[in-house]
Amino acid sequence: MAENSTGKGPLSEEELQELVASSDAGARAPAGAVGTLLAVVAVVWSLFQVILASPLANYVLPGDLINNSRQVHLAFAIFLAFMAYPALKSSPRHYIPIQDWVMGLLGAFIAMYGFFFYDKIVNAGGLADDTDKWVALIGLVLLFEGARRALGPAMAIIACVFLAYVFWGSSDWVPEVIRWKGASLKKAMSHMWITSEGVFGIALGVSTKFVFLFVLFGAMLDKAGAGNYFIKMAFGALGHLRGGPAKAAVVGSAATGLISGSSIANVVTTGTFTIPLMKRVGFSSEKAGAVEVASSVNGQIMPPVMGAAAFLMVEYVGISYVEVITHAFLPAAISYMALVYIVHLEAVKNNMPTLGDRVVSLGKTIGGMAVFFVGFAGLCYGVKYPVQWITAMVPSGAAWILAVLVFVAYAVLLWFAAQVPDLEPDDPNAEHVELPVVGEIYKAGLYFLLPIIVLVYFLMIEQKSPGLSAFWATALLFVILLTQRPLKAMFRGESDMANAFRAGVSDLTQGLIDGARNMIGIGLATATAGVIVGTVTLTGVGQVMADLVEFLSGGNLILMLIMVGLLSLVLGMGLPTTANYIVVSSLMAAVVVELGAQSGLIVPLIAVHLFVFYFGIMADVTPPVGLASFAAAAVSGGDAIRTGFTAFFYSLRTVALPFVFIFNTDLLLIDVGWVQGILVFVVASIAILVFTAGTMGHFLTRNRIYESVALIAIAFALFRPDYFMNRIQPPFEIIEPTQLEQELDSAEIGEELRIIVSGPDFDTGETKDTTLVLTVETEGSGAERLDALGLLLMEEDGAMKMDEPLFGSPISDAMQSFDFYADDPVVISSVKATADQMPKEVIFIPALVLLALVAMLQRGRMTREGVPA
């Protein structure tokens, strides 16, 4: 139970802010010269990252500094971790003990070790000498201590377990199935600290290049006042509806998910306003907190930022950023739709009152929001035409002209904002709640959309790198923070311009400080996770994990996915989402793809990474360590464990969706055209709402048990129409392996064949199967197409034997785990060609008819019982 200083009940605003600070930015805030020094260090870190992402980086920063930017990034993070986070709960908050100064400065120096001694390390071929190994070991100890302070003990403990496995993996007490030969201290430290395989690996690189800019962008947008604007707009649009405060909490959290990558900060930022109002209309403390938790945590699955995971997926999956957020968009969007519907059903079931005295139809509200989102998307896309025209007319001066036009647009929107009063946060506990009127307040913050438009334009239309896109959006925020106050004062005819400008400088400085402090935990999480990734690459434990999971699951894909989900949940109980995603995806992503292939299911790598990520964020919800649930309980005064369980129940769709898109990749818009994409969106939206109605026990009225079962079955049919169609008409026809060449000879360009390959495993020698998809991409005979695919086949004794594929051929990577030189041959055991099948969408017809039947049953019952609609 969350308690304040006076006993049981919600925490005060000051205590809540300390809760956020202690988890996200560090609880220590020393005053005087030391506080100023820490602020200066934070500002310098932010400015360094902004310059590093800018087009001027090569002209402003020395090349050595750019090449070693990961070391600089970690040095700032380690130093600020020891300065901002006390060692223990009993440690001082208002001054920094001498030992923290020593550890912070030493940690920063060792983080920069590769920069200071670059020539020595290069000359040694990246191998550690005796000095290097001890320096690296001390660096790891300090990194783990910094991570313990900033992230809690779990991250450091897990990293220590993996590091212990590196050294003592050959010991008798290590289970034989995961035993390996072990490594010397020198080899381990080379791998973990001196090379880019461990601490300074891909994860820290992503944190350096991309994540910092987006966290800074969010901190500065919030400092400018966008968070309050989004919440007010959401309440103005939805607050008057039944269960309106909860609906507004969901939409407001989706919007602030753009700003905050932290579910805890999101809960406290929006929850201090939404939770009291939810309680006011009839939600219990636990349900009010649970709605806020579910909507805040889901902010991390909402593109374009996705709590930093989107940028990691770019590196790990090897696809562009635009592809990542395209695949992630539909599940996130329908998940939020379902949450709004959950809130609506709770309000209807409990006949909750409305807030305020305005009457606006639900249809008009939904229509207005749809028009806004479509208009905003159209504006982001339509901007490219005038930009192209200006670029064609004035190639050399286009950048300056566009910059002037953006500033003019900003000035015009700011003039509109100056015509209305500045938006002040409302008091949710006031005796009379006056809901904002969208038509009166929308002008006050329209200019906040400009940086978001710039970000989306560069990301989606220009398809620039995430770092450069965030740089231009952040550069515009620099201008906004510096000028919004003085320009508003000028437009309003006020004379106090000097103070307004000083306030703008103060806002900008605080935004830079907030951005840097919010990055401490992420920087340390990605660095510490690098130790785990380094262990996987050094020891080969990933393949062992594949064998172990296959053994435990008996080769059953569903059971294996459940195990991966549970692993993500368990690890996530003590790890931040980003670190959890790195750890589980490093261990399990390839396993899911490989075992899926053995089961005959081709699982795209992006689907597996999103699966892991979805379960990772659920750890912030799930008791007993759901940090977001504890934060919500601290706001509501409810019981944290009950809040967590209720939030988990509200988040069932976030648990179900990953299983759906693993088997139906249409939901991720993979190889889906525009027309089919629209159909998928509409049907998936209906399916998630029907699933919600089934699990909540309420559709048009309270469900009978058989109606809930029917609704869940309908949702399954809409999500997985192929499951039923494949049983009506098999999707493949079986062909004799010896007929493969003839089949390829007659195949059309773009046609796919699936071959099942059986043979001895390279590590265990046991026979295993895998499924390969052969796509016909070239003209020619069957033999020529076999050569193009890299297949070397030989028919012998009625079997189609297979030699090791040509290196670099389309299938060579997929066949690496087979032993082609064992006594038993590798053979093609089966060939499947795509059969003529009715479109799977035909299944939608009986599913929707059954849905209409359930609706008729419930409407008839409502009429008989006199229940209002």
Side-chain angles (χ1 to χ4, degrees):
M1 180 69 75
E3 293 188 1
N4 61 16
S5 53
T6 61
K8 180 177 167 182
L11 300 185
S12 68
E13 178 65 25
E14 186 178 338
E15 289 169 317
L16 286 172
Q17 292 309 318
E18 179 156 349
L19 173 69
V20 175
S22 62
S23 62
D24 284 350
R28 193 184 274 149
V34 173
T36 304
L37 173 65
L38 297 189
V40 168
V41 171
V43 169
V44 169
W45 188 15
S46 290
L47 292 176
F48 167 74
Q49 297 285 166
V50 169
I51 295 170
L52 184 68
S54 77
L56 300 174
N58 291 324
Y59 304 101
V60 177
L61 298 174
D64 288 348
L65 210 57
I66 295 173
N67 294 335
N68 290 281
S69 56
R70 297 179 189 185
Q71 282 88 340
V72 179
H73 184 80
L74 183 58
F76 274 113
I78 285 185
F79 176 74
L80 287 174
F82 283 104
M83 298 300 101
Y85 289 90
L88 304 167
K89 286 185 178 179
S90 58
S91 298
R93 296 290 194 273
H94 303 297
Y95 72 92
I96 301 170
I98 187 67
Q99 65 269 21
D100 285 0
W101 281 104
V102 171
M103 288 189 286
L105 291 169
L106 183 59
F109 171 77
I110 296 177
M112 294 285 287
Y113 186 78
F115 173 72
F116 294 135
F117 299 98
Y118 180 78
D119 291 336
K120 174 191 145 182
I121 291 170
V122 168
N123 292 334
L127 298 173
D129 60 20
D130 287 333
T131 303
D132 297 338
K133 73 179 182 184
W134 293 114
V135 169
L137 184 60
I138 295 168
L140 283 177
V141 171
L142 292 172
L143 171 63
F144 292 169
E145 169 58 13
R148 182 196 66 80
R149 294 183 181 205
L151 307 166
M155 184 87 217
I157 291 170
I158 292 170
C160 287
V161 169
F162 274 80
L163 201 58
Y165 174 67
V166 169
F167 294 128
W168 295 292
S170 59
S171 302
D172 292 338
W173 50 266
V174 175
E176 190 172 346
V177 69
I178 61 169
R179 197 174 296 166
W180 87 296
K181 63 182 181 181
S184 66
L185 180 61
K186 189 179 290 188
K187 182 178 180 181
M189 292 303 103
S190 286
H191 194 80
M192 295 298 177
W193 199 272
I194 304 300
T195 71
S196 59
E197 293 289 332
V199 169
F200 298 101
I202 288 174
L204 189 63
V206 169
S207 179
T208 306
K209 284 196 297 183
F210 306 137
V211 179
F212 193 106
L213 263 290
F214 278 85
V215 170
L216 179 62
F217 173 80
M220 293 177 68
L221 195 58
D222 190 42
K223 195 65 189 171
N228 185 43
Y229 176 70
F230 290 151
I231 293 170
K232 288 244 183 194
M233 289 290 287
F235 262 87
L238 300 167
H240 58 279
L241 301 173
R242 188 180 286 187
K247 292 171 183 170
V250 174
V251 175
S253 292
T256 52
L258 287 170
I259 297 174
S260 169
S262 164
S263 49
I264 298 165
N266 204 344
V267 164
V268 173
T269 302
T270 57
T272 48
F273 181 61
T274 60
I275 288 174
L277 287 177
M278 282 190 261
K279 291 168 67 176
R280 195 160 176 158
V281 297
F283 282 88
S284 68
S285 295
E286 287 75 22
K287 284 187 176 179
V291 169
E292 186 57 54
V293 169
S295 51
S296 294
V297 168
N298 265 31
Q300 293 191 68
I301 66 173
M302 199 70 187
V305 180
M306 295 170 60
F311 314 116
L312 289 159
M313 287 179 196
V314 170
E315 301 293 331
Y316 288 150
V317 182
I319 60 178
S320 72
Y321 175 80
V322 173
E323 288 177 284
V324 169
I325 59 177
T326 300
H327 298 324
F329 172 73
L330 180 55
I334 64 175
S335 185
Y336 263 110
M337 283 185 205
L339 190 52
V340 172
Y341 190 45
I342 285 171
V343 166
H344 174 72
L345 292 178
E346 283 284 10
V348 171
K349 281 197 298 185
N350 295 289
N351 197 24
M352 292 181 183
T354 57
L355 275 179
D357 51 9
R358 279 193 297 125
V359 178
V360 181
S361 74
L362 180 60
K364 284 185 178 179
T365 300
I366 294 173
M369 292 179 69
V371 167
F372 170 77
F373 284 115
V374 170
F376 181 72
L379 182 62
C380 291
Y381 184 78
V383 165
K384 76 172 185 176
Y385 295 107
V387 170
Q388 288 173 350
W389 182 74
I390 292 169
T391 305
M393 292 285 290
V394 195
S396 58
W400 291 105
I401 293 171
L402 292 171
V404 169
L405 288 176
V406 169
F407 187 81
V408 168
Y410 162 61
V412 170
L413 292 174
L414 199 62
W415 179 81
F416 273 115
Q419 309 309 306
V420 296
D422 291 337
L423 298 179
E424 298 292 336
D426 293 321
D427 179 9
N429 298 307
E431 186 176 340
H432 179 66
V433 176
E434 205 164 307
L435 293 173
V437 179
V438 171
E440 296 173 3
I441 66 167
Y442 77 96
K443 294 179 182 178
L446 277 177
Y447 63 96
F448 293 136
L449 299 180
L450 268 180
I452 299 172
I453 290 172
V454 168
L455 178 66
V456 173
Y457 172 77
F458 276 106
L459 280 174
M460 302 297 292
I461 310 302
E462 290 285 337
Q463 297 200 8
K464 300 293 186 187
S465 75
L468 186 62
S469 304
F471 165 76
W472 288 116
T474 304
L476 178 55
L477 274 172
F478 272 52
V479 174
I480 290 174
L481 281 165
L482 280 174
T483 61
Q484 65 172 345
R485 290 177 185 269
L487 284 179
K488 274 186 186 177
M490 184 180 75
F491 291 143
R492 289 169 177 164
E494 298 169 356
S495 57
D496 199 7
M497 296 282 288
N499 281 335
F501 182 73
R502 277 196 292 272
V505 172
S506 175
D507 286 344
L508 175 59
T509 304
Q510 192 58 49
L512 292 169
I513 293 169
D514 290 347
R517 290 188 69 138
N518 289 344
M519 267 305 297
I520 297 171
I522 297 175
L524 293 178
T526 51
T528 310
V531 173
I532 297 160
V533 176
T535 301
V536 173
T537 58
L538 179 63
T539 65
V541 72
Q543 184 56 47
V544 176
M545 287 293 292
D547 298 336
L548 183 62
V549 169
E550 184 179 9
F551 171 74
L552 292 174
S553 64
N556 184 293
L557 187 61
I558 293 286
L559 189 56
M560 182 199 60
L561 288 171
I562 292 171
M563 289 171 61
V564 172
L566 289 173
L567 177 65
S568 301
L569 277 176
V570 171
L571 284 176
M573 286 181 182
L575 303 187
T577 306
T578 309
N580 183 14
Y581 163 70
I582 294 168
V583 173
V584 183
S585 63
S586 300
L587 288 172
M588 303 305 301
V591 179
V592 177
V593 172
E594 183 179 337
L595 294 187
Q598 290 180 27
S599 304
L601 180 70
I602 306 303
V603 184
L605 194 55
I606 182 65
V608 184
H609 280 260
L610 284 170
F611 180 93
V612 168
F613 178 58
Y614 268 58
F615 275 93
I617 70 163
M618 286 303 298
D620 271 351
V621 177
T622 315
V625 198
L627 298 179
S629 298
F630 278 90
V635 177
S636 70
D639 181 83
I641 300 298
R642 285 174 59 194
T643 299
F645 278 116
T646 308
F648 183 81
F649 178 69
Y650 287 165
S651 301
L652 278 178
R653 77 245 179 270
T654 311
V655 176
L657 276 173
F659 286 96
V660 173
F661 61 59
I662 283 284
F663 291 94
N664 180 11
T665 56
D666 286 356
L667 280 178
L668 302 180
L669 303 179
I670 294 175
D671 298 328
V672 168
W674 275 102
V675 175
Q676 189 184 358
I678 292 169
L679 177 64
V680 168
F681 181 83
V682 171
V683 172
S685 301
I686 296 170
I688 199 72
L689 296 178
V690 171
F691 175 79
T692 301
T695 53
M696 291 292 292
H698 197 286
F699 184 33
L700 301 181
T701 187
R702 197 174 299 277
N703 296 343
R704 303 270 168 83
I705 292 177
Y706 61 86
E707 289 172 339
S708 289
V709 172
L711 288 171
I712 293 171
I714 292 165
F716 181 76
L718 294 175
F719 274 134
R720 289 286 319 278
D722 57 307
Y723 179 85
F724 296 98
M725 183 55 72
N726 291 347
R727 278 147 184 80
I728 298 170
Q729 288 184 316
F732 302 108
E733 56 179 321
I734 307 299
I735 295 166
E736 284 295 320
T738 53
Q739 300 298 309
L740 176 58
E741 186 175 324
Q742 290 89 322
E743 187 68 26
L744 282 171
D745 199 37
S746 59
E748 301 288 333
I749 295 288
E751 192 173 327
E752 288 184 349
L753 294 175
R754 296 189 175 208
I755 63 171
I756 298 175
V757 180
S758 299
D761 183 271
F762 188 82
D763 293 315
T764 65
E766 295 179 2
T767 301
K768 68 173 186 177
D769 296 338
T770 194
T771 302
L772 300 177
V773 177
L774 306 181
T775 305
V776 179
E777 297 177 343
T778 59
E779 296 285 358
S781 66
E784 290 169 338
R785 285 172 167 176
L786 283 174
D787 289 341
L789 291 166
L791 281 167
L792 302 176
L793 305 178
M794 178 177 61
E795 187 178 344
E796 191 175 289
D797 300 329
M800 187 60 78
K801 296 183 179 179
M802 185 175 179
D803 278 340
E804 188 169 11
L806 296 171
F807 180 75
S809 63
I811 64 166
S812 60
D813 288 345
M815 299 300 296
Q816 282 181 349
S817 59
F818 283 88
D819 187 352
F820 289 90
Y821 305 99
D823 294 335
D824 295 325
V826 178
V827 299
I828 296 178
S829 59
S830 178
V831 177
K832 297 178 180 179
T834 305
D836 290 331
Q837 187 187 52
M838 286 189 297
K840 62 184 179 183
E841 289 78 10
V842 171
I843 298 297
F844 295 157
I845 297 171
L848 292 173
V849 168
L850 182 56
L851 178 62
L853 181 61
V854 173
M856 287 171 57
L857 282 172
Q858 293 206 350
R859 192 167 288 282
R861 195 159 69 246
M862 290 166 66
T863 303
R864 289 193 303 273
E865 296 173 1
V867 179

